[in-house]
């Protein structure tokens, strides 16, 4: 009997609280980009050093035949820049910049938007709004060279807070379905279709 009550309580709670996890920088694409930059940066740096030291530090190719000025210097520069960008991306992955969650709580009548930023005084971004202050859920679709498809939470004071994570644009059908589900859950209108 107690198990049935716990299951009923859990299902009621699930019906009144909706939480969406947001993946930040800990995405497979960032890991792959960091790995490619690391390998390319080390390769270019070793090629530049090979031309300077007149040694083959790389197992493939023959970089000692390059003249240090200008090819070796340029390759060393490119390798250094690639390693710096790799270091930056690795730190954003380590700190999980952009990660967090959206919580829509009908029990407390609150919407919580939590994200992680860069280390410092304002590392945690924590926004809380009463459900009564929500005007609508808005779909924003931009096509072109850099397409963007986002779901925004529109507050009555005209602020728009993006709720979707930064990623490849999701299919329109899936985006519309998520936005409609959220608007029905919160009991607000849906705009931007």
């Amino acid at each position: 009997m107690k198990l049935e009550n716990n299951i009923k309580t859990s299902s009621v709670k699930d019906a009144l609280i909706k939480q969406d996890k947001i993946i930040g920088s800990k995405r497979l694409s960032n890991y792959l980009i960091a790995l490619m930059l690391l390998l390319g940066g080390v390769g270019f740096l070793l090629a530049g050093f090979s031309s300077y030291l007149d040694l083959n530090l790389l197992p493939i190719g023959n970089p000692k035949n390059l003249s240090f000025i200008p090819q070796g210097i340029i390759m060393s520069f490119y390798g250094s820049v690639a390693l710096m960008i790799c270091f930056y991306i690795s730190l954003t992955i380590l700190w999980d910049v952009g990660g967090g969650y959206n919580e829509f709580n009908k029990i407390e009548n609150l919407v919580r938007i939590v994200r992680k930023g860069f280390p410092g005084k304002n590392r945690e971004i924590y926004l809380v709004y009463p459900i009564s202050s929500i005007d609508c859920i808005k779909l924003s679709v931009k096509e072109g060279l850099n397409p963007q498809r986002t779901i925004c939470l529109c507050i009555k004071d005209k602020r728009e807070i993006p709720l979707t994570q930064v990623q490849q644009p999701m299919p329109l059908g899936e985006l519309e379905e998520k936005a409609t589900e959220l608007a029905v859950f919160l009991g607000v209108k849906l705009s931007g279709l």
Side-chain angles (χ1 to χ4, degrees):
M1 191 70 171
K2 190 174 183 179
L3 180 63
E4 286 179 21
N5 287 339
N6 285 343
I7 292 172
K8 287 179 184 178
T9 305
S10 174
S11 64
V12 168
K13 194 173 184 180
D14 290 342
L16 296 176
I17 298 175
K18 179 177 173 50
Q19 193 172 49
D20 299 327
K21 185 169 175 24
I22 303 296
I23 298 171
S25 297
K26 291 187 176 186
R27 285 181 274 136
L28 179 63
S29 61
N30 282 350
Y31 284 104
L32 292 176
I33 289 170
L35 179 65
M36 288 188 312
L37 284 169
L38 177 67
L39 294 175
V42 168
F44 272 84
L45 208 54
L46 286 177
F49 288 154
S50 292
S51 70
Y52 179 73
L53 299 173
D54 204 24
L55 284 170
N56 271 334
L57 298 175
L58 285 173
I60 51 176
N62 195 7
K64 79 173 189 175
N65 292 339
L66 295 173
S67 61
F68 182 67
I69 297 177
Q71 288 116 344
I73 290 177
I74 295 297
M75 293 187 93
S76 298
F77 173 74
Y78 287 158
S80 301
V81 170
L83 290 176
M84 284 188 279
I85 295 171
C86 173
F87 181 68
Y88 172 77
I89 291 174
S90 299
L91 285 177
T92 62
I93 291 170
L94 179 71
W95 295 325
D96 193 23
V97 175
Y101 63 91
N102 302 326
E103 181 182 276
F104 308 97
N105 190 329
K106 283 186 170 180
I107 296 170
E108 298 174 0
N109 284 323
L110 292 175
V111 173
R112 290 184 183 89
I113 299 168
V114 179
R115 299 288 188 278
K116 292 179 187 171
F118 287 98
K121 189 172 84 173
N122 298 322
R123 170 129 166 82
E124 288 285 326
I125 299 166
Y126 188 72
L127 304 173
V128 179
Y129 299 102
I131 290 178
S132 60
S133 71
I134 298 172
D135 184 37
C136 66
I137 299 296
K138 180 180 176 186
L139 277 175
S140 178
V141 178
K142 274 198 273 183
E143 298 296 339
L145 189 60
N146 186 19
Q148 293 178 343
R149 297 176 182 165
T150 58
I151 299 172
C152 293
L153 183 71
C154 296
I155 309 298
K156 289 182 179 172
D157 63 2
K158 305 296 181 208
R159 284 184 284 173
E160 293 182 4
I161 296 114
L163 298 176
T164 51
Q165 58 195 17
V166 178
Q167 63 179 5
Q168 291 292 332
M170 66 175 75
L172 277 174
E174 185 180 334
L175 186 76
E176 289 174 355
E177 184 180 319
K178 279 188 169 191
T180 305
E181 180 183 308
L182 184 58
V184 168
F185 181 80
L186 294 174
V188 296
K189 65 184 178 183
L190 181 65
S191 71
L193 288 177

